[in-house]
Amino acid sequence: MDPTLQIVILSVLGPVIGSAIGVARQPSLWFMYNMLAFAAGVMLGISFLSLIPQAVHLSSPATCVAGILLGSLVMYGLDRLIPHIHPELCEQEQGANLKKTATYLLFGIFLHNFPEGMAIGMGNVSGSRQSFLIAMAIAIHNIPQGICTSAPYYHVTGRRLKAFLVSSTTMFPILGGYLVSRYVHPRVTDGTNGLLIAATAGLMIYISADELIPTSSFKLTNHSTIFSLIGGVVFVVILGLA
């Protein structure tokens, strides 16, 4: 199969799988939190071991720093405008407010997924393997989000298929961001590409620090998520050496 097609398929799998789980049966919190910690390890490993060195090589240390700040500020701005609902809060609101909560979740995740799609596309500058790893980490990260959107929507409407389909639409901004970044980066200078790659790293570092790591340690005290995070970093190193 063409590597680009593999990346596109993997990019949209997270919301679809999560949406299916949300209208079927929710997995254990232990599994979800360790999965998020592993995704954080992959994101941090790619950012520090690949994307940041590549950005410095294509541009300069100063441009790289500017890109990291740009990516993190974009995600911070989205969080301020449309606060991101973390997986541990999926069932915080009940009763009459649940439909509003489900719609709010869907809208917020929809907006957050576009820059994540761009991050997947920018990984192609460092090679299809890096793009594949980024797509995998974001797909894992988006599975709990799919659960968080489809489960309350299904609970309110009682319509399993509709809840699955509505929640699965959050894959479209990922695909849109991917296609936009694939179109943009061949048409700009190395310096600009360096800035965008560094911004991708900043985006993923922000997601890991703001969402994945705090969420993965929520309620778990057995330190398993620490080793899952380390496992994600090791996974990146192993694939990078293969």
Side-chain angles (χ1 to χ4, degrees):
M1 184 184 294
D2 180 68
T4 300
L5 182 59
Q6 290 179 343
I7 292 166
V8 169
I9 292 173
L10 184 57
S11 301
V12 301
L13 274 181
V16 174
I17 293 174
S19 299
I21 294 173
V23 298
R25 181 179 180 181
Q26 186 167 329
S28 68
L29 290 178
W30 184 93
F31 176 79
M32 288 180 62
Y33 291 158
N34 279 277
M35 183 171 60
L36 290 176
F38 180 81
V42 172
M43 287 189 181
L44 293 175
I46 294 172
S47 296
F48 289 111
L49 298 176
S50 178
L51 296 183
I52 291 176
Q54 180 76 0
V56 172
H57 175 73
L58 287 175
S59 54
S60 67
T63 300
C64 180
V65 169
I68 293 171
L69 292 174
L70 174 65
S72 58
L73 287 173
V74 166
M75 292 308 295
Y76 174 74
L78 284 174
D79 276 349
R80 294 290 294 177
L81 293 172
I82 307 292
H84 202 37
I85 307 299
H86 295 182
E88 75 269 20
L89 302 180
C90 285
E91 299 178 356
Q92 185 175 13
E93 291 192 61
Q94 301 293 332
N97 291 327
L98 187 57
K99 186 172 184 178
K100 179 180 178 181
T101 300
T103 304
Y104 183 77
L105 278 167
L106 187 67
F107 181 61
I109 290 174
F110 206 92
L111 291 182
H112 278 77
N113 282 356
F114 184 81
E116 292 178 4
M118 292 195 68
I120 297 170
M122 288 311 302
N124 275 310
V125 180
S126 300
S128 59
R129 178 177 295 174
Q130 297 301 328
S131 185
F132 187 85
L133 282 173
I134 294 172
M136 182 193 71
I138 289 178
I140 292 173
H141 154 62
N142 282 333
I143 288 174
Q145 291 184 353
I147 295 171
C148 288
T149 52
S150 65
Y153 200 92
Y154 172 52
H155 179 76
V156 169
T157 64
R159 301 174 65 181
R160 192 186 304 271
L161 179 60
K162 181 179 180 180
F164 168 74
L165 293 176
V166 169
S167 177
S168 294
T169 60
T170 57
M171 71 180 179
F172 290 117
I174 299 176
L175 184 58
Y178 172 78
L179 294 175
V180 167
S181 62
R182 284 295 304 273
Y183 175 81
V184 167
H185 83 70
R187 292 165 171 76
V188 298
T189 64
D190 282 349
T192 303
N193 269 328
L195 179 73
L196 294 175
I197 293 171
T200 299
L203 181 152
M204 292 201 296
I205 293 169
Y206 182 94
I207 291 172
S208 298
D210 174 67
E211 179 177 342
L212 299 184
I213 295 175
T215 299
S216 66
S217 61
F218 186 75
K219 290 186 178 179
L220 293 187
T221 58
N222 60 5
H223 296 87
S224 62
T225 55
I226 295 176
F227 292 99
S228 293
L229 186 147
I230 295 171
V233 176
V234 171
F235 182 70
V236 171
V237 173
I238 291 174
L239 288 189
L241 295 176

